[in-house]
Coordinates of all heavy atoms in Angstrom, one line a residue:
K1 N 7.4 -4.5 3.8 CA 7.1 -5.9 4.0 C 6.2 -6.4 2.9 O 6.1 -7.6 2.6 CB 6.5 -6.2 5.3 CG 7.5 -6.0 6.5 CD 6.9 -6.5 7.8 CE 8.0 -6.4 8.8 NZ 7.6 -7.1 10.0
V2 N 5.4 -5.5 2.2 CA 4.5 -5.9 1.2 C 5.1 -5.7 -0.2 O 4.4 -6.1 -1.2 CB 3.1 -5.2 1.3 CG1 2.4 -5.6 2.6 CG2 3.2 -3.7 1.1
K3 N 6.3 -5.1 -0.3 CA 6.9 -4.9 -1.7 C 6.9 -6.1 -2.5 O 6.5 -6.1 -3.7 CB 8.3 -4.3 -1.5 CG 8.9 -4.0 -2.8 CD 10.4 -3.4 -2.7 CE 11.0 -3.2 -4.0 NZ 12.4 -3.0 -3.9
P4 N 7.4 -7.3 -2.0 CA 7.3 -8.5 -2.9 C 6.0 -8.9 -3.4 O 5.8 -9.4 -4.5 CB 7.9 -9.6 -2.0 CG 8.7 -8.9 -0.9 CD 7.9 -7.6 -0.7
Q5 N 4.9 -8.6 -2.6 CA 3.6 -8.9 -3.0 C 3.1 -8.0 -4.1 O 2.5 -8.5 -5.1 CB 2.6 -8.8 -1.8 CG 2.8 -9.8 -0.7 CD 1.9 -9.5 0.5 OE1 0.7 -9.5 0.4 NE2 2.5 -9.3 1.7
V6 N 3.5 -6.7 -4.1 CA 3.2 -5.8 -5.1 C 3.9 -6.2 -6.4 O 3.4 -6.2 -7.5 CB 3.5 -4.4 -4.7 CG1 3.3 -3.4 -5.9 CG2 2.6 -3.9 -3.5
E7 N 5.2 -6.5 -6.3 CA 6.0 -6.8 -7.4 C 5.5 -8.1 -8.1 O 5.5 -8.2 -9.3 CB 7.5 -7.0 -7.0 CG 8.2 -5.7 -6.6 CD 9.6 -5.9 -6.1 OE1 9.9 -7.0 -5.6 OE2 10.3 -4.9 -6.2
E8 N 5.0 -9.1 -7.3 CA 4.5 -10.3 -7.9 C 3.2 -10.0 -8.7 O 3.1 -10.5 -9.8 CB 4.2 -11.3 -6.8 CG 3.7 -12.6 -7.3 CD 3.4 -13.6 -6.2 OE1 4.0 -13.5 -5.2 OE2 2.6 -14.5 -6.5
K9 N 2.3 -9.2 -8.1 CA 1.1 -8.8 -8.8 C 1.3 -8.0 -10.1 O 0.6 -8.1 -11.1 CB 0.1 -8.1 -7.9 CG -0.4 -9.0 -6.8 CD -1.5 -8.3 -6.0 CE -2.0 -9.2 -4.9 NZ -2.9 -10.3 -5.3
E10 N 2.3 -7.1 -10.0 CA 2.6 -6.2 -11.2 C 3.5 -6.9 -12.2 O 3.6 -6.5 -13.3 CB 3.3 -4.9 -10.7 CG 2.4 -3.9 -10.1 CD 1.6 -3.2 -11.2 OE1 2.1 -2.4 -12.0 OE2 0.3 -3.5 -11.2
G11 N 4.2 -8.0 -11.8 CA 5.1 -8.7 -12.7 C 6.4 -7.9 -13.0 O 7.0 -8.0 -14.1
K12 N 6.8 -7.0 -12.1 CA 8.0 -6.3 -12.2 C 8.6 -5.9 -10.9 O 7.9 -6.1 -9.9 CB 7.8 -5.0 -13.1 CG 6.8 -4.0 -12.5 CD 6.6 -2.9 -13.5 CE 5.6 -1.9 -12.9 NZ 5.3 -0.8 -13.9
T13 N 9.9 -5.5 -10.9 CA 10.5 -5.1 -9.6 C 10.6 -3.6 -9.6 O 10.7 -2.9 -10.7 CB 11.9 -5.7 -9.5 OG1 12.7 -5.4 -10.6 CG2 11.8 -7.2 -9.4
F14 N 10.7 -3.0 -8.4 CA 10.8 -1.6 -8.3 C 12.1 -1.3 -7.6 O 12.4 -1.8 -6.5 CB 9.6 -1.1 -7.4 CG 8.3 -1.3 -8.0 CD1 7.4 -2.3 -7.6 CD2 7.8 -0.5 -9.1 CE1 6.2 -2.5 -8.2 CE2 6.6 -0.7 -9.6 CZ 5.8 -1.7 -9.2
D15 N 12.9 -0.4 -8.2 CA 14.2 0.0 -7.6 C 13.9 1.0 -6.5 O 14.6 1.1 -5.5 CB 15.1 0.7 -8.7 CG 15.6 -0.3 -9.7 OD1 15.7 -1.5 -9.4 OD2 15.8 0.1 -10.9
V16 N 12.8 1.8 -6.7 CA 12.4 2.8 -5.7 C 11.1 2.3 -5.2 O 10.2 1.9 -5.9 CB 12.2 4.2 -6.3 CG1 11.7 5.2 -5.3 CG2 13.5 4.7 -6.9
F17 N 10.9 2.3 -3.8 CA 9.6 1.8 -3.2 C 9.6 2.5 -1.8 O 9.9 1.9 -0.8 CB 9.6 0.3 -3.1 CG 8.2 -0.2 -2.9 CD1 7.4 -0.4 -4.0 CD2 7.7 -0.6 -1.7 CE1 6.1 -1.0 -3.9 CE2 6.4 -1.1 -1.5 CZ 5.6 -1.3 -2.6
T18 N 9.2 3.8 -1.8 CA 9.2 4.6 -0.6 C 7.8 5.1 -0.3 O 7.2 5.8 -1.1 CB 10.2 5.8 -0.9 OG1 11.4 5.3 -1.4 CG2 10.4 6.6 0.4
A19 N 7.4 4.8 0.9 CA 6.1 5.3 1.4 C 6.3 6.8 1.7 O 7.2 7.2 2.3 CB 5.7 4.6 2.7
V20 N 5.3 7.6 1.2 CA 5.4 9.1 1.4 C 4.2 9.6 2.2 O 4.3 10.7 2.6 CB 5.5 9.8 0.0 CG1 6.8 9.5 -0.7 CG2 4.4 9.5 -0.9
E21 N 3.2 8.8 2.3 CA 2.0 9.2 3.0 C 1.2 8.0 3.4 O 1.2 7.0 2.7 CB 1.1 10.2 2.1 CG -0.1 10.7 2.8 CD -0.9 11.6 1.8 OE1 -0.4 11.9 0.7 OE2 -2.1 11.8 2.1
F22 N 0.4 8.1 4.5 CA -0.4 7.0 4.8 C -1.6 7.4 5.7 O -1.6 8.5 6.3 CB 0.3 5.8 5.6 CG 0.6 6.1 7.0 CD1 -0.3 5.6 8.0 CD2 1.7 6.9 7.4 CE1 0.0 5.8 9.3 CE2 1.9 7.1 8.7 CZ 1.1 6.6 9.7
K23 N -2.7 6.6 5.7 CA -3.9 6.8 6.5 C -4.2 5.5 7.1 O -3.9 4.4 6.5 CB -5.0 7.4 5.7 CG -4.8 8.8 5.1 CD -6.0 9.2 4.3 CE -5.8 10.6 3.8 NZ -7.0 11.1 3.0
T24 N -4.9 5.5 8.2 CA -5.3 4.2 8.8 C -6.9 4.2 8.9 O -7.5 5.2 9.0 CB -4.7 4.0 10.1 OG1 -5.1 5.0 11.0 CG2 -3.2 3.9 10.1
Q25 N -7.4 2.9 9.0 CA -8.8 2.7 9.2 C -8.9 1.5 10.1 O -8.4 0.4 9.8 CB -9.5 2.4 7.9 CG -11.0 2.1 8.0 CD -11.6 1.6 6.7 OE1 -11.0 0.9 5.9 NE2 -12.8 2.1 6.5
V26 N -9.4 1.6 11.3 CA -9.6 0.5 12.2 C -10.8 -0.3 11.9 O -11.9 0.3 11.8 CB -9.6 1.0 13.7 CG1 -9.8 -0.1 14.7 CG2 -8.4 1.8 14.0
V27 N -10.6 -1.6 11.7 CA -11.6 -2.5 11.4 C -11.4 -3.7 12.4 O -11.0 -3.4 13.5 CB -11.6 -3.0 9.9 CG1 -12.1 -1.8 9.1 CG2 -10.3 -3.4 9.5
A28 N -11.6 -4.9 12.0 CA -11.2 -6.0 12.9 C -9.7 -6.3 12.6 O -9.3 -7.3 12.1 CB -12.0 -7.3 12.5
G29 N -8.9 -5.3 12.9 CA -7.5 -5.1 12.6 C -7.3 -3.7 12.1 O -8.1 -2.8 12.5
T30 N -6.3 -3.5 11.3 CA -6.1 -2.1 10.8 C -5.8 -2.2 9.3 O -5.0 -3.0 8.8 CB -4.9 -1.5 11.5 OG1 -5.1 -1.5 12.9 CG2 -4.7 0.0 11.0
N31 N -6.5 -1.3 8.5 CA -6.2 -1.1 7.1 C -5.3 0.1 7.0 O -5.6 1.2 7.6 CB -7.5 -0.8 6.3 CG -8.3 -2.0 6.0 OD1 -7.8 -3.1 5.7 ND2 -9.6 -1.9 6.0
Y32 N -4.2 0.0 6.3 CA -3.3 1.1 6.0 C -3.4 1.4 4.5 O -3.3 0.5 3.7 CB -1.9 0.7 6.3 CG -1.6 0.5 7.8 CD1 -1.7 -0.8 8.4 CD2 -1.2 1.5 8.6 CE1 -1.5 -1.0 9.7 CE2 -0.9 1.3 10.0 CZ -1.1 0.1 10.5 OH -0.9 -0.1 11.8
F33 N -3.7 2.7 4.3 CA -3.7 3.2 2.9 C -2.4 4.0 2.7 O -2.2 5.0 3.4 CB -5.0 4.0 2.7 CG -6.2 3.3 2.9 CD1 -6.8 3.1 4.1 CD2 -6.8 2.7 1.8 CE1 -8.0 2.4 4.3 CE2 -8.0 1.9 1.9 CZ -8.6 1.8 3.2
I34 N -1.6 3.5 1.8 CA -0.2 4.0 1.7 C 0.1 4.5 0.3 O -0.1 3.8 -0.7 CB 0.8 2.9 2.1 CG1 0.5 2.3 3.5 CG2 2.2 3.5 2.1 CD1 1.2 1.0 3.8
K35 N 0.6 5.8 0.2 CA 1.0 6.3 -1.1 C 2.5 5.9 -1.2 O 3.3 6.3 -0.3 CB 0.8 7.8 -1.2 CG 1.2 8.4 -2.5 CD 1.1 9.9 -2.6 CE -0.3 10.3 -2.6 NZ -0.5 11.8 -2.8
V36 N 2.9 5.3 -2.2 CA 4.3 4.8 -2.4 C 4.9 5.4 -3.7 O 4.3 5.2 -4.8 CB 4.3 3.2 -2.5 CG1 5.7 2.8 -2.7 CG2 3.7 2.7 -1.2
H37 N 6.0 6.0 -3.6 CA 6.8 6.4 -4.7 C 7.5 5.2 -5.3 O 8.3 4.6 -4.6 CB 7.8 7.5 -4.3 CG 8.6 8.1 -5.5 ND1 9.9 8.3 -5.4 CD2 8.2 8.4 -6.7 CE1 10.4 8.7 -6.5 NE2 9.4 8.8 -7.3
V38 N 7.3 4.9 -6.6 CA 7.9 3.8 -7.2 C 8.9 4.2 -8.3 O 9.3 3.4 -9.2 CB 6.9 2.8 -7.8 CG1 6.1 2.2 -6.6 CG2 5.9 3.4 -8.8
G39 N 9.3 5.4 -8.4 CA 10.3 5.9 -9.3 C 9.8 6.9 -10.3 O 8.6 7.0 -10.5
N40 N 10.6 7.8 -10.8 CA 10.3 8.9 -11.7 C 9.1 9.6 -11.1 O 9.2 10.0 -9.9 CB 9.9 8.3 -13.1 CG 11.1 7.6 -13.7 OD1 12.3 8.1 -13.6 ND2 10.9 6.5 -14.4
D41 N 8.1 9.9 -11.8 CA 6.9 10.6 -11.3 C 5.7 9.6 -11.0 O 4.6 10.0 -11.1 CB 6.4 11.6 -12.3 CG 7.4 12.8 -12.5 OD1 8.1 13.1 -11.5 OD2 7.5 13.3 -13.6
E42 N 6.1 8.3 -10.8 CA 5.1 7.3 -10.6 C 4.8 7.0 -9.2 O 5.8 6.9 -8.4 CB 5.5 6.0 -11.4 CG 5.5 6.2 -12.9 CD 5.9 4.9 -13.5 OE1 5.3 3.8 -13.2 OE2 6.8 4.9 -14.4
F43 N 3.6 6.8 -8.8 CA 3.2 6.5 -7.5 C 2.1 5.4 -7.5 O 1.5 5.2 -8.6 CB 2.6 7.7 -6.8 CG 3.6 8.7 -6.4 CD1 4.1 9.6 -7.4 CD2 4.1 8.8 -5.1 CE1 5.0 10.6 -7.1 CE2 5.1 9.8 -4.8 CZ 5.5 10.7 -5.8
M44 N 2.0 4.7 -6.4 CA 0.9 3.7 -6.3 C 0.3 3.9 -4.9 O 0.9 4.4 -4.0 CB 1.5 2.2 -6.3 CG 2.2 1.8 -7.6 SD 2.9 0.2 -7.5 CE 1.4 -0.7 -7.9
H45 N -1.0 3.5 -4.9 CA -1.7 3.5 -3.6 C -1.9 2.1 -3.2 O -2.5 1.3 -4.0 CB -3.0 4.3 -3.7 CG -2.9 5.8 -4.0 ND1 -4.0 6.6 -4.1 CD2 -1.8 6.5 -4.1 CE1 -3.5 7.8 -4.3 NE2 -2.2 7.8 -4.3
L46 N -1.5 1.8 -2.0 CA -1.7 0.4 -1.5 C -2.7 0.4 -0.3 O -2.8 1.3 0.5 CB -0.3 -0.1 -0.9 CG 0.9 0.0 -1.8 CD1 2.1 -0.6 -1.0 CD2 0.7 -0.6 -3.1
R47 N -3.4 -0.7 -0.2 CA -4.2 -1.0 0.9 C -3.7 -2.3 1.6 O -3.7 -3.4 1.0 CB -5.7 -1.2 0.5 CG -6.6 -1.5 1.7 CD -8.0 -1.7 1.2 NE -8.9 -2.1 2.3 CZ -10.2 -2.3 2.1 NH1 -10.8 -2.1 1.0 NH2 -10.9 -2.7 3.1
V48 N -3.1 -2.1 2.8 CA -2.4 -3.2 3.5 C -3.2 -3.4 4.8 O -3.6 -2.5 5.5 CB -1.0 -2.8 3.8 CG1 -0.3 -3.9 4.6 CG2 -0.2 -2.5 2.5
F49 N -3.4 -4.7 5.0 CA -4.2 -5.1 6.2 C -3.3 -5.7 7.3 O -2.5 -6.6 7.0 CB -5.3 -6.1 5.9 CG -6.1 -6.6 7.0 CD1 -7.0 -5.7 7.7 CD2 -5.9 -7.9 7.5 CE1 -7.7 -6.1 8.8 CE2 -6.7 -8.3 8.6 CZ -7.5 -7.4 9.3
R50 N -3.4 -5.2 8.5 CA -2.7 -5.8 9.7 C -3.8 -6.4 10.6 O -4.7 -5.7 11.0 CB -1.9 -4.8 10.4 CG -1.3 -5.4 11.7 CD -0.4 -4.4 12.5 NE 0.9 -4.6 11.9 CZ 1.9 -3.7 12.0 NH1 1.7 -2.6 12.6 NH2 3.1 -4.0 11.4
S51 N -3.7 -7.7 10.8 CA -4.7 -8.4 11.6 C -4.4 -8.0 13.1 O -3.4 -7.4 13.4 CB -4.6 -9.9 11.4 OG -3.4 -10.4 11.8
L52 N -5.4 -8.4 13.9 CA -5.2 -8.2 15.4 C -4.0 -9.0 15.9 O -3.7 -10.0 15.4 CB -6.5 -8.6 16.1 CG -7.7 -7.7 15.8 CD1 -9.0 -8.3 16.4 CD2 -7.6 -6.3 16.2
P53 N -3.3 -8.4 16.9 CA -2.1 -9.1 17.4 C -2.2 -10.5 17.8 O -1.4 -11.3 17.5 CB -1.7 -8.2 18.6 CG -2.3 -6.9 18.4 CD -3.6 -7.2 17.6
H54 N -3.4 -10.9 18.4 CA -3.5 -12.3 18.8 C -3.7 -13.3 17.7 O -3.5 -14.5 17.9 CB -4.7 -12.4 19.8 CG -6.0 -12.3 19.2 ND1 -6.6 -11.1 18.9 CD2 -6.9 -13.2 18.7 CE1 -7.8 -11.3 18.3 NE2 -8.0 -12.6 18.2
E55 N -4.0 -12.8 16.5 CA -4.1 -13.6 15.3 C -2.7 -14.0 14.7 O -2.6 -15.0 14.0 CB -5.0 -13.0 14.2 CG -6.4 -12.8 14.7 CD -7.3 -12.1 13.7 OE1 -6.7 -11.3 12.8 OE2 -8.5 -12.4 13.6
N56 N -1.7 -13.2 15.1 CA -0.3 -13.5 14.7 C -0.2 -13.8 13.2 O 0.5 -14.8 12.8 CB 0.2 -14.7 15.5 CG 1.7 -14.7 15.5 OD1 2.4 -13.7 15.3 ND2 2.3 -15.9 15.8
K57 N -0.7 -12.9 12.3 CA -0.7 -13.1 10.9 C 0.2 -12.0 10.3 O 0.3 -10.9 10.9 CB -2.0 -13.0 10.2 CG -2.9 -14.2 10.6 CD -4.3 -14.0 9.9 CE -5.2 -15.2 10.3 NZ -6.6 -15.0 9.7
P58 N 0.9 -12.3 9.2 CA 1.7 -11.2 8.6 C 0.9 -10.1 7.9 O -0.3 -10.3 7.7 CB 2.5 -12.0 7.5 CG 1.7 -13.2 7.2 CD 0.9 -13.5 8.4
L59 N 1.5 -9.0 7.6 CA 0.9 -8.0 6.9 C 0.5 -8.5 5.5 O 1.2 -9.3 4.9 CB 1.8 -6.8 6.6 CG 2.2 -5.9 7.8 CD1 3.2 -4.9 7.3 CD2 1.0 -5.2 8.3
S60 N -0.7 -8.1 5.0 CA -1.1 -8.6 3.7 C -1.6 -7.5 2.8 O -2.2 -6.5 3.3 CB -2.2 -9.6 3.8 OG -3.4 -9.1 4.4
L61 N -1.2 -7.5 1.5 CA -1.6 -6.6 0.5 C -3.0 -6.9 0.2 O -3.3 -8.0 -0.4 CB -0.7 -6.6 -0.7 CG -1.1 -5.7 -1.8 CD1 -0.9 -4.3 -1.5 CD2 -0.3 -6.1 -3.1
H62 N -4.0 -6.0 0.5 CA -5.4 -6.3 0.2 C -5.7 -5.9 -1.3 O -6.3 -6.6 -2.0 CB -6.3 -5.5 1.1 CG -7.7 -5.8 0.9 ND1 -8.5 -5.0 0.0 CD2 -8.6 -6.6 1.5 CE1 -9.7 -5.5 0.0 NE2 -9.8 -6.5 0.9
S63 N -5.2 -4.7 -1.7 CA -5.4 -4.2 -3.0 C -4.5 -3.0 -3.3 O -3.9 -2.5 -2.3 CB -6.9 -3.8 -3.3 OG -7.3 -2.8 -2.3
Y64 N -4.5 -2.6 -4.5 CA -3.6 -1.4 -4.8 C -4.1 -0.8 -6.1 O -4.9 -1.4 -6.9 CB -2.1 -1.9 -5.0 CG -1.9 -2.7 -6.2 CD1 -1.4 -2.2 -7.4 CD2 -2.1 -4.1 -6.2 CE1 -1.2 -2.9 -8.5 CE2 -1.8 -4.9 -7.3 CZ -1.4 -4.3 -8.5 OH -1.1 -5.1 -9.6
Q65 N -3.7 0.5 -6.3 CA -4.0 1.2 -7.5 C -2.7 1.8 -8.0 O -1.9 2.4 -7.3 CB -4.9 2.4 -7.1 CG -6.3 2.0 -6.5 CD -7.1 3.1 -6.0 OE1 -6.6 4.2 -5.7 NE2 -8.4 2.9 -5.9
S66 N -2.5 1.5 -9.3 CA -1.3 2.0 -9.9 C -1.5 3.2 -10.8 O -2.7 3.7 -10.8 CB -0.6 0.8 -10.8 OG -1.6 0.4 -11.7
S67 N -0.5 3.7 -11.4 CA -0.7 4.9 -12.3 C -1.2 6.1 -11.5 O -2.0 6.8 -12.0 CB -1.6 4.6 -13.5 OG -1.0 3.5 -14.3
K68 N -0.7 6.3 -10.4 CA -1.1 7.5 -9.6 C 0.0 8.5 -9.7 O 1.2 8.2 -10.1 CB -1.3 7.1 -8.1 CG -2.4 6.2 -7.8 CD -3.7 6.9 -8.1 CE -4.9 6.1 -7.7 NZ -6.2 6.9 -7.9
T69 N -0.3 9.8 -9.3 CA 0.7 10.8 -9.3 C 0.9 11.3 -7.9 O 0.2 11.0 -7.0 CB 0.2 12.1 -10.2 OG1 -0.9 12.7 -9.5 CG2 -0.1 11.6 -11.6
K70 N 1.9 12.1 -7.7 CA 2.2 12.7 -6.4 C 1.1 13.5 -5.8 O 0.9 13.5 -4.6 CB 3.5 13.6 -6.5 CG 3.9 14.2 -5.2 CD 5.2 15.0 -5.4 CE 5.7 15.5 -4.0 NZ 6.9 16.2 -4.2
H71 N 0.3 14.1 -6.7 CA -0.8 15.0 -6.2 C -2.1 14.3 -6.1 O -3.1 14.9 -5.7 CB -0.9 16.2 -7.1 CG 0.4 17.0 -7.2 ND1 0.9 17.7 -6.1 CD2 1.3 17.1 -8.2 CE1 2.0 18.2 -6.4 NE2 2.3 17.9 -7.7
D72 N -2.2 13.0 -6.5 CA -3.5 12.3 -6.3 C -3.8 12.1 -4.8 O -2.9 11.7 -4.1 CB -3.5 10.9 -7.0 CG -3.5 11.0 -8.5 OD1 -4.1 12.0 -9.0 OD2 -3.1 10.0 -9.2
E73 N -5.0 12.4 -4.4 CA -5.4 12.3 -3.0 C -5.4 10.8 -2.6 O -5.9 10.0 -3.3 CB -6.8 12.9 -2.8 CG -7.2 12.8 -1.3 CD -8.5 13.4 -1.1 OE1 -9.1 14.0 -2.0 OE2 -9.0 13.3 0.1
L74 N -4.8 10.5 -1.5 CA -4.9 9.2 -0.9 C -6.2 9.0 -0.2 O -6.5 9.7 0.8 CB -3.7 9.0 0.1 CG -3.6 7.6 0.7 CD1 -3.4 6.6 -0.3 CD2 -2.4 7.6 1.7
A75 N -7.1 8.2 -0.8 CA -8.4 8.0 -0.3 C -8.6 6.5 0.0 O -7.9 5.6 -0.5 CB -9.4 8.5 -1.3
F76 N -9.6 6.2 0.9 CA -10.0 4.9 1.2 C -10.5 4.2 0.0 O -11.3 4.8 -0.8 CB -11.0 4.8 2.3 CG -10.5 5.5 3.6 CD1 -11.3 6.4 4.3 CD2 -9.3 5.1 4.2 CE1 -10.9 7.0 5.5 CE2 -8.9 5.6 5.4 CZ -9.6 6.6 6.0
F77 N -10.1 3.0 -0.3 CA -10.6 2.2 -1.4 C -10.7 0.7 -1.0 O -10.2 0.3 -0.1 CB -9.8 2.4 -2.7 CG -8.4 2.0 -2.6 CD1 -8.0 0.7 -3.0 CD2 -7.4 2.9 -2.1 CE1 -6.7 0.3 -2.9 CE2 -6.1 2.5 -2.0 CZ -5.7 1.2 -2.4

């Protein structure tokens, strides 16, 4: 659901966009830290926020880190 947001920020489209790992952090909602394979040996780390259910808001891309590898540790950022 956040792929279009990442593509807009990066100014390009991704033929491959597959989540391979994730971690969560409970705040006033939930932060998802997601490692995404974007083709070849390239990966990105995304921080996606899901608000509390009663707020009825869509998932939002909070931030991301590009130029990651498969072996880079997925850490909170």
Side-chain angles (χ1 to χ4, degrees):
K1 292 189 176 193
V2 297
K3 181 182 177 193
Q5 294 175 57
V6 175
E7 290 176 335
E8 182 179 335
K9 289 185 183 289
E10 280 288 291
K12 60 184 177 183
T13 58
F14 297 103
D15 294 330
V16 176
F17 199 83
T18 307
V20 295
E21 181 183 347
F22 78 96
K23 294 181 180 182
T24 60
Q25 176 186 40
V26 177
V27 289
T30 305
N31 283 322
Y32 292 90
F33 297 87
I34 308 166
K35 182 184 290 189
V36 178
H37 179 226
V38 293
N40 299 320
D41 293 329
E42 296 181 47
F43 290 79
M44 298 179 84
H45 292 180
L46 311 181
R47 179 176 174 181
V48 176
F49 179 72
R50 171 176 275 160
S51 62
L52 295 170
H54 72 276
E55 294 178 332
N56 200 24
K57 294 181 180 176
L59 289 175
S60 63
L61 176 67
H62 183 274
S63 57
Y64 68 96
Q65 298 173 337
S66 55
S67 302
K68 294 292 186 174
T69 69
K70 181 178 184 175
H71 302 291
D72 285 337
E73 181 182 353
L74 183 59
F76 299 129
F77 61 92

